[in-house]
Amino acid sequence: MPETASSRAGLVVRAGGVRWFIPVAAVIEVLRHAAVSRVPAAAAVLGLVNHRGRVLAVGDAARALGLAVPLTGEADLVVVELAGGRRFAVAVETVIELVAEPRTGLAPLDLDAVAAAIFA
């Protein structure tokens, strides 16, 4: 089955001081200035967010991926859904742009690693 333009499209985000690519097929919505209820003593979990009546865990992409640059200040939240229906929000420094296909030199953000850090 040939790839369509939408199957290659994605978001360019910054997390841990590095630019990453998130495939649009996994993205539900981008939340800016969302109220996150903090969860104490949770390494990669920043807290919880209400997304359209559904409470979602918010994972810090930088911590989950073991990056040295911590998330400081307000973050953009990318609500994603993985195969099997696992939905959560990924906190990134910023969403930079929506692109039609992955750019050379941009690694895909490992959403499975973020999910493992949140739900482990």
Side-chain angles (χ1 to χ4, degrees):
M1 183 159 122
E3 279 188 298
T4 63
S6 64
S7 69
R8 295 186 316 259
L11 295 178
V12 177
V13 301
R14 183 177 301 114
V18 179
R19 290 168 50 122
W20 301 90
F21 180 82
I22 300 176
V24 76
V27 176
I28 303 296
E29 187 172 358
V30 175
L31 305 175
R32 296 182 189 262
H33 312 293
V36 176
S37 299
R38 300 289 179 191
V39 174
V45 178
L46 287 180
L48 304 171
V49 67
N50 182 341
H51 178 251
R52 303 183 183 273
R54 187 173 180 179
V55 177
L56 301 178
V58 178
D60 180 346
R63 285 186 192 164
L65 298 174
L67 302 174
V69 180
L71 184 63
T72 58
E74 264 191 34
D76 287 340
L77 304 181
V78 181
V79 178
V80 297
E81 184 168 281
L82 301 182
R86 186 175 286 186
R87 187 178 290 194
F88 57 96
V90 179
V92 296
E93 294 165 28
T94 189
V95 173
I96 298 170
E97 64 182 327
L98 174 65
V99 294
E101 58 187 43
R103 297 254 171 91
T104 303
L106 283 181
L109 186 71
D110 189 348
L111 296 175
D112 291 321
V114 177
I118 293 171
F119 300 110

